PDB file of all heavy atoms in Angstrom:
ATOM      1  N   GLU A 240     -23.588 -14.797   5.810  1.00 93.00           N
ATOM      2  CA  GLU A 240     -22.650 -15.467   6.780  1.00 93.00           C
ATOM      3  C   GLU A 240     -22.022 -16.759   6.026  1.00 93.00           C
ATOM      4  O   GLU A 240     -21.099 -17.282   6.658  1.00 93.00           O
ATOM      5  CB  GLU A 240     -23.415 -15.840   7.844  1.00 93.00           C
ATOM      6  CG  GLU A 240     -24.121 -14.743   8.618  1.00 93.00           C
ATOM      7  CD  GLU A 240     -24.639 -15.090   9.974  1.00 93.00           C
ATOM      8  OE1 GLU A 240     -24.713 -16.138  10.359  1.00 93.00           O
ATOM      9  OE2 GLU A 240     -24.780 -14.037  10.781  1.00 93.00           O
ATOM     10  N   ASN A 241     -22.435 -17.027   4.916  1.00 93.00           N
ATOM     11  CA  ASN A 241     -21.946 -18.240   4.269  1.00 93.00           C
ATOM     12  C   ASN A 241     -20.843 -17.999   3.217  1.00 93.00           C
ATOM     13  O   ASN A 241     -20.359 -18.815   2.581  1.00 93.00           O
ATOM     14  CB  ASN A 241     -23.035 -19.138   3.647  1.00 93.00           C
ATOM     15  CG  ASN A 241     -24.066 -19.510   4.621  1.00 93.00           C
ATOM     16  OD1 ASN A 241     -23.626 -19.828   5.786  1.00 93.00           O
ATOM     17  ND2 ASN A 241     -25.264 -19.212   4.413  1.00 93.00           N
ATOM     18  N   PHE A 242     -20.664 -16.700   2.974  1.00 95.00           N
ATOM     19  CA  PHE A 242     -19.577 -16.268   1.923  1.00 95.00           C
ATOM     20  C   PHE A 242     -18.308 -16.191   2.468  1.00 95.00           C
ATOM     21  O   PHE A 242     -18.144 -15.209   3.370  1.00 95.00           O
ATOM     22  CB  PHE A 242     -20.064 -15.053   1.274  1.00 95.00           C
ATOM     23  CG  PHE A 242     -19.263 -14.681   0.027  1.00 95.00           C
ATOM     24  CD1 PHE A 242     -19.109 -15.533  -1.091  1.00 95.00           C
ATOM     25  CD2 PHE A 242     -18.497 -13.502   0.106  1.00 95.00           C
ATOM     26  CE1 PHE A 242     -18.364 -15.126  -2.082  1.00 95.00           C
ATOM     27  CE2 PHE A 242     -17.789 -13.040  -1.037  1.00 95.00           C
ATOM     28  CZ  PHE A 242     -17.651 -13.847  -2.057  1.00 95.00           C
ATOM     29  N   PRO A 243     -17.318 -17.037   2.317  1.00 95.00           N
ATOM     30  CA  PRO A 243     -16.001 -16.877   3.091  1.00 95.00           C
ATOM     31  C   PRO A 243     -15.184 -15.718   2.830  1.00 95.00           C
ATOM     32  O   PRO A 243     -14.515 -15.275   3.649  1.00 95.00           O
ATOM     33  CB  PRO A 243     -15.237 -18.166   2.474  1.00 95.00           C
ATOM     34  CG  PRO A 243     -15.933 -18.574   1.269  1.00 95.00           C
ATOM     35  CD  PRO A 243     -17.322 -18.119   1.249  1.00 95.00           C
ATOM     36  N   PHE A 244     -15.277 -15.022   1.638  1.00 97.00           N
ATOM     37  CA  PHE A 244     -14.582 -13.918   1.244  1.00 97.00           C
ATOM     38  C   PHE A 244     -15.357 -12.602   1.492  1.00 97.00           C
ATOM     39  O   PHE A 244     -15.365 -11.845   0.565  1.00 97.00           O
ATOM     40  CB  PHE A 244     -13.966 -14.081  -0.128  1.00 97.00           C
ATOM     41  CG  PHE A 244     -12.964 -15.182  -0.205  1.00 97.00           C
ATOM     42  CD1 PHE A 244     -13.297 -16.474  -0.763  1.00 97.00           C
ATOM     43  CD2 PHE A 244     -11.697 -15.167   0.484  1.00 97.00           C
ATOM     44  CE1 PHE A 244     -12.503 -17.569  -0.854  1.00 97.00           C
ATOM     45  CE2 PHE A 244     -10.946 -16.228   0.392  1.00 97.00           C
ATOM     46  CZ  PHE A 244     -11.233 -17.437  -0.140  1.00 97.00           C
ATOM     47  N   ARG A 245     -15.833 -12.356   2.555  1.00 96.00           N
ATOM     48  CA  ARG A 245     -16.546 -11.131   2.737  1.00 96.00           C
ATOM     49  C   ARG A 245     -15.794  -9.895   2.768  1.00 96.00           C
ATOM     50  O   ARG A 245     -16.270  -8.821   2.819  1.00 96.00           O
ATOM     51  CB  ARG A 245     -17.401 -11.265   4.247  1.00 96.00           C
ATOM     52  CG  ARG A 245     -18.828 -11.447   4.089  1.00 96.00           C
ATOM     53  CD  ARG A 245     -19.339 -11.501   5.417  1.00 96.00           C
ATOM     54  NE  ARG A 245     -19.706 -10.125   5.900  1.00 96.00           N
ATOM     55  CZ  ARG A 245     -20.476  -9.931   6.950  1.00 96.00           C
ATOM     56  NH1 ARG A 245     -21.052 -10.950   7.599  1.00 96.00           N
ATOM     57  NH2 ARG A 245     -20.753  -8.703   7.383  1.00 96.00           N
ATOM     58  N   GLY A 246     -14.340 -10.052   2.775  1.00 96.00           N
ATOM     59  CA  GLY A 246     -13.467  -9.018   2.639  1.00 96.00           C
ATOM     60  C   GLY A 246     -13.454  -8.385   1.258  1.00 96.00           C
ATOM     61  O   GLY A 246     -12.764  -7.315   1.045  1.00 96.00           O
ATOM     62  N   GLN A 279     -12.384 -10.265   7.640  1.00 95.00           N
ATOM     63  CA  GLN A 279     -12.428 -11.482   6.618  1.00 95.00           C
ATOM     64  C   GLN A 279     -11.391 -11.172   5.435  1.00 95.00           C
ATOM     65  O   GLN A 279     -11.125 -10.175   5.043  1.00 95.00           O
ATOM     66  CB  GLN A 279     -13.882 -11.542   6.149  1.00 95.00           C
ATOM     67  CG  GLN A 279     -14.811 -12.032   7.228  1.00 95.00           C
ATOM     68  CD  GLN A 279     -15.747 -10.954   7.662  1.00 95.00           C
ATOM     69  OE1 GLN A 279     -15.678  -9.930   7.168  1.00 95.00           O
ATOM     70  NE2 GLN A 279     -16.758 -11.414   8.565  1.00 95.00           N
ATOM     71  N   PRO A 280     -11.169 -12.399   4.786  1.00 98.00           N
ATOM     72  CA  PRO A 280     -10.258 -12.354   3.817  1.00 98.00           C
ATOM     73  C   PRO A 280     -10.755 -11.845   2.338  1.00 98.00           C
ATOM     74  O   PRO A 280     -12.044 -11.684   2.222  1.00 98.00           O
ATOM     75  CB  PRO A 280      -9.766 -13.727   3.587  1.00 98.00           C
ATOM     76  CG  PRO A 280     -10.993 -14.649   4.077  1.00 98.00           C
ATOM     77  CD  PRO A 280     -11.654 -13.673   5.118  1.00 98.00           C
ATOM     78  N   PHE A 313      -6.572 -18.296   4.328  1.00 98.00           N
ATOM     79  CA  PHE A 313      -8.187 -18.523   4.024  1.00 98.00           C
ATOM     80  C   PHE A 313      -8.124 -18.822   2.527  1.00 98.00           C
ATOM     81  O   PHE A 313      -9.095 -19.637   1.944  1.00 98.00           O
ATOM     82  CB  PHE A 313      -8.767 -17.158   4.200  1.00 98.00           C
ATOM     83  CG  PHE A 313      -9.297 -17.007   5.642  1.00 98.00           C
ATOM     84  CD1 PHE A 313      -8.518 -16.071   6.415  1.00 98.00           C
ATOM     85  CD2 PHE A 313     -10.314 -17.725   6.119  1.00 98.00           C
ATOM     86  CE1 PHE A 313      -8.993 -15.990   7.825  1.00 98.00           C
ATOM     87  CE2 PHE A 313     -10.785 -17.536   7.324  1.00 98.00           C
ATOM     88  CZ  PHE A 313     -10.037 -16.672   8.207  1.00 98.00           C
ATOM     89  N   GLU A 317     -10.212 -22.068   1.479  1.00 96.00           N
ATOM     90  CA  GLU A 317     -11.538 -21.892   1.023  1.00 96.00           C
ATOM     91  C   GLU A 317     -11.730 -21.716  -0.468  1.00 96.00           C
ATOM     92  O   GLU A 317     -12.699 -21.763  -1.112  1.00 96.00           O
ATOM     93  CB  GLU A 317     -12.205 -20.557   1.567  1.00 96.00           C
ATOM     94  CG  GLU A 317     -12.207 -20.485   3.106  1.00 96.00           C
ATOM     95  CD  GLU A 317     -13.391 -21.347   3.663  1.00 96.00           C
ATOM     96  OE1 GLU A 317     -14.174 -21.839   2.763  1.00 96.00           O
ATOM     97  OE2 GLU A 317     -13.441 -21.500   4.947  1.00 96.00           O
ATOM     98  N   PRO A 436     -18.718 -14.823   8.119  1.00 95.00           N
ATOM     99  CA  PRO A 436     -17.763 -15.804   8.853  1.00 95.00           C
ATOM    100  C   PRO A 436     -16.744 -15.076   9.731  1.00 95.00           C
ATOM    101  O   PRO A 436     -16.488 -13.955   9.571  1.00 95.00           O
ATOM    102  CB  PRO A 436     -17.216 -16.439   7.643  1.00 95.00           C
ATOM    103  CG  PRO A 436     -17.348 -15.554   6.502  1.00 95.00           C
ATOM    104  CD  PRO A 436     -18.535 -14.745   6.871  1.00 95.00           C
TER     105      PRO A 436
END
Side-chain angles (χ1 to χ4, degrees):
E240 303 199 340
N241 300 314
F242 185 63
F244 294 105
R245 251 182 87 163
Q279 288 112 357
F313 280 103
E317 303 280 355

